[in-house]
Amino acid sequence: AVRLVESGGGVVQPGGSLRLSCTTSGFSFENSPMSWLRRVPGRPLQWIAGIDEEGGRTSYADDVQGRFFASRNNLNNTLWLQLNNLQKDDTGMYYCEQGYSLPPSPKGQGTRVTVAS
């Protein structure tokens, strides 16, 4: 079965950084484009970043472009999201997901990011 486990969230001040990780199993990671999603309070699930199978191409939502950076290691089936210059509006639950589309609900349990002064 597909398993996605997110980690690395925490509490940071505005302007701070975090690095989220996603460990995967149960599918062919090296053949799967991957995405990061987030759910912030009061808003629907949002796609925020995507990375192709080889990690050579990435894409981002406008509100995280230039601050968040996705990467991956196909040898250990791991995905990362570097979050820089975090703002209070970035507070929420972050999830990794297979593919580029937005699922009805995320497969993983997510990792919580809280930005507070």
Side-chain angles (χ1 to χ4, degrees):
V2 172
R3 190 159 186 253
L4 305 170
V5 180
E6 302 90 348
S7 63
V11 180
V12 295
Q13 293 185 339
S17 297
L18 286 171
R19 191 187 195 208
L20 308 184
S21 299
C22 169
T23 57
T24 74
S25 60
F27 66 101
S28 178
F29 181 79
E30 67 271 19
N31 293 319
S32 296
M34 298 292 294
S35 290
W36 284 95
L37 317 174
R38 73 179 177 188
R39 196 191 312 269
V40 302
R43 296 179 62 183
L45 189 64
Q46 177 192 12
W47 176 93
I48 57 171
I51 185 167
D52 71 353
E53 294 89 332
E54 296 180 354
R57 289 191 299 178
T58 54
S59 53
Y60 302 94
D62 288 345
D63 53 349
V64 306
Q65 178 80 44
R67 300 189 298 124
F68 293 5
F69 300 94
S71 58
R72 65 191 293 161
N73 185 329
N74 287 350
L75 294 178
N76 61 17
N77 298 340
T78 302
L79 181 72
W80 295 283
L81 186 67
Q82 178 69 37
L83 287 63
N84 297 330
N85 191 22
L86 282 160
Q87 304 301 314
K88 291 184 178 180
D89 287 349
D90 295 317
T91 292
M93 290 294 293
Y94 285 70
Y95 306 88
C96 59
E97 190 62 53
Q98 293 173 271
Y100 292 124
S101 60
L102 199 62
S105 60
K107 293 185 181 67
Q109 85 288 350
T111 187
R112 183 176 298 278
V113 172
T114 302
V115 185
S117 51

